[in-house]
Amino acid sequence: MSQPAFRFIHSADWHLERPLGGVGEVPEPLVDLFQKAPLRAARHVVDQAVERHVDFVVLSGDIIDPDRAGPEATIFLVEQFQRLAEQEIAVYWAGGRVDPPQRWPSAIRLPSNVHRFAWERTEEIVHQRDHAPIVRLIGSSVDLRQRAIGPEDFSFSVDRDDLFTIGVAYGRSDDFRNICPNEIAYWALGGDHIRSTPLTEQRVIHLPGTPQGRNPIESGPHGCTLVESDGQGHLRLHLLSTDVARWHHQRILVDANTSRDGLLGQLAETTERLLEQCESQSDMLICWTIAGEGPLLSKLRHTALRKSLKTELQDRFAARWPRPWCIWIEAEPARSLPDAWYKQDDLRGDFLRELMHFESGDTPLPDWSAEAPGEVALLKAAGLEHLLDHLSTERLLRRTAALGAELLSVEEPQP
Ligand SMILES: [Mn+2]
């Protein structure tokens, strides 16, 4: 089956309204980076489209919430679209959760190379090069009430012209894995900030992730995807890095014999290794979790030691580029607390015994998403609902036990 060769960039989740976060304290020299990284990364996506002479750009949702981003970021986005217009690169944009087309401010005009998919139905566009059809795109946007067209509605009538067909939508891959029309060879999805290509037969489902990780959970390289077809039915996907700051989450083990300087050595060594592996110029945002056992771990629960380690580590790498920043050092909560604590007749004992009922499953944990709909709504409004998935019950209880025990201990806790 011979088709025209083509290439395009698939990107999603720019979230121009959302700075970097997820940390208690942002080091002073990084404040500017935390604010501007999402816009800089978005510009890199457009740079890539221009440099690589792509046929078009596909955006699968969550590009910008214009109300929260404000006029400056909205105009920035229009300028990026204009850069693409100058190169005659079309943009096909399916609105997601934060960017239903109806939310776009009517006072700001989008350049004519930008096509936004309708929300109440699927829309079909045939992309042409020199008046010859190259690719068919079928897409739809999420509407203001957050309703999206389901994959089952993507059925359409093709007059068997063998055109390569791309489905563009906002949504998780699970919805699209089972029910989707065979005619769609590439599903360009969005909504997950971590890049993925779930395995499926006969077709590709791809989520490019966000071009810029926002918090320690979104660690590792981020970018957009260059999709190339050779016209013989072979498709190649390449990650093009666009992030200007890259999160790293490292776990370090200590034991009863680890000294403070020993730990510092381990932190420095790991940083050195990360620097060696780093192929990009992005600032490195490193978060450390210290786990294991021994007296050093208990001492790490106190701010003073963590602070001094952080400062020394920071100074040691001050002259390096890309710059490795130590964002935080945390001690992992102890897996178990001393048995005796559970038996003591004091407040701490009462607290731990109470928690045990939850741990054993005797008392079901309250469904806190139902108990605290306000908090859940807030997380969702901040676009942090993915954090909900990471709050495993076991982890939550362990943290609760460790924190409660620490607060209720008269003497320094020595788990
Ligand atoms: Mn998103």
Side-chain angles (χ1 to χ4, degrees):
M1 182 169 71
S2 177
Q3 298 163 333
F6 60 87
R7 71 174 81 161
F8 66 95
I9 275 184
H10 175 198
S11 190
D13 294 274
W14 290 11
H15 283 290
L16 297 183
E17 76 284 356
R18 193 188 303 170
L20 272 55
V23 301
E25 198 187 340
V26 180
E28 188 52 38
L30 291 182
V31 170
D32 188 60
L33 180 72
F34 268 54
Q35 284 169 5
K36 301 207 175 118
L39 270 65
R40 288 180 194 158
R43 183 185 287 127
H44 286 170
V45 175
V46 173
D47 291 347
Q48 290 286 0
V50 171
E51 277 165 30
R52 290 168 192 266
H53 305 287
V54 296
D55 290 287
F56 52 90
V57 172
V58 172
L59 301 177
S60 309
D62 280 0
I63 298 303
I64 188 170
D65 178 337
D67 296 339
R68 290 179 54 215
E72 207 176 308
T74 310
I75 287 165
F76 165 87
L77 178 62
V78 172
E79 285 165 0
Q80 299 313 307
F81 288 154
Q82 266 155 0
R83 289 180 57 208
L84 293 169
E86 282 158 22
Q87 306 297 322
E88 295 178 28
I89 297 171
V91 177
Y92 301 109
W93 179 5
R97 190 175 51 80
V98 307
D99 57 351
Q102 304 105 301
R103 269 214 196 144
W104 184 261
S106 48
I108 300 178
R109 271 188 58 190
L110 280 169
S112 60
N113 61 322
V114 180
H115 183 87
R116 308 210 61 181
F117 287 106
W119 57 88
E120 72 284 10
R121 60 191 159 83
T122 55
E123 209 178 331
E124 183 174 333
I125 300 163
V126 173
H127 180 85
Q128 311 215 339
R129 189 198 293 147
D130 303 327
H131 307 291
I134 303 288
V135 159
R136 173 188 295 102
L137 298 107
I138 302 197
S140 89
S141 291
V142 169
D143 76 3
L144 264 187
R145 280 175 288 177
Q146 301 293 311
R147 281 181 316 198
I149 303 267
E152 64 281 3
D153 298 314
F154 270 81
S155 48
F156 54 93
S157 55
V158 213
D159 39 353
R160 295 285 154 207
D161 52 9
D162 277 354
L163 260 194
F164 187 92
T165 302
I166 302 172
V168 189
Y170 177 83
R172 302 262 165 157
S173 53
D174 289 349
D175 307 338
F176 290 82
R177 198 185 299 224
N178 302 323
I179 6 169
C180 56
N182 280 326
E183 291 81 2
I184 294 181
Y186 181 97
W187 276 101
L189 302 184
D192 197 336
H193 293 193
I194 309 291
R195 174 186 161 86
S196 66
T197 314
L199 277 180
T200 45
E201 287 170 30
Q202 292 169 338
R203 64 178 78 86
V204 178
I205 297 181
H206 183 65
L207 292 97
T210 174
Q212 172 60 58
R214 294 304 197 280
N215 52 53
I217 291 172
E218 296 173 9
S219 62
H222 283 267
C224 59
T225 299
L226 176 70
V227 184
E228 285 183 303
S229 165
D230 61 2
Q232 309 297 317
H234 301 125
L235 213 56
R236 289 174 68 106
L237 276 64
H238 313 264
L239 165 70
L240 307 175
S241 299
T242 54
D243 46 3
V244 296
R246 190 167 295 179
W247 296 91
H248 298 265
H249 199 169
Q250 295 291 318
R251 197 161 173 272
I252 300 281
L253 277 175
V254 295
D255 59 32
N257 301 317
T258 312
S259 65
R260 177 202 181 275
D261 288 347
L263 174 60
L264 182 63
Q266 282 190 61
L267 296 172
E269 225 171 83
T270 311
T271 306
E272 201 63 64
R273 212 185 57 235
L274 287 174
L275 271 166
E276 272 166 31
Q277 292 164 354
C278 177
E279 84 300 349
S280 83
Q281 291 303 304
S282 325
D283 277 277
M284 297 162 72
L285 309 174
I286 310 175
C287 304
W288 303 96
T289 297
I290 316 298
E293 55 182 14
L296 185 67
L297 203 60
S298 324
K299 284 193 197 124
L300 272 171
R301 300 194 207 290
H302 297 273
T303 336
L305 177 56
R306 296 199 306 261
K307 231 181 190 160
S308 76
L309 281 169
K310 200 171 146 179
T311 313
E312 258 180 74
L313 200 58
Q314 209 69 303
D315 291 348
R316 204 179 273 207
F317 290 95
R320 299 294 289 275
W321 185 261
R323 180 90 194 256
W325 296 92
C326 174
I327 299 296
W328 83 43
I329 299 175
E330 64 162 10
E332 194 168 73
R335 214 164 267 281
S336 59
L337 299 169
D339 280 347
W341 290 11
Y342 285 85
K343 296 184 185 124
Q344 275 162 3
D345 187 17
D346 55 9
L347 264 180
R348 186 177 64 194
D350 287 344
F351 171 76
L352 290 175
R353 282 189 293 275
E354 199 60 41
L355 264 189
M356 268 172 68
H357 295 303
F358 291 116
E359 278 162 19
S360 63
D362 291 346
T363 311
L365 265 185
D367 176 5
W368 64 279
S369 59
E371 302 275 325
E375 277 77 358
V376 175
L378 265 181
L379 277 179
K380 286 190 173 162
L384 294 173
E385 68 271 43
H386 55 280
L387 289 180
L388 298 173
D389 305 336
H390 293 268
L391 287 174
S392 82
T393 311
E394 188 253 332
R395 218 175 129 82
L396 192 69
L397 285 171
R398 186 141 57 91
R399 279 184 182 257
T400 311
L403 181 65
E406 186 182 326
L407 293 172
L408 293 169
S409 292
V410 182
E411 73 279 42
E412 187 176 304
Q414 299 281 336

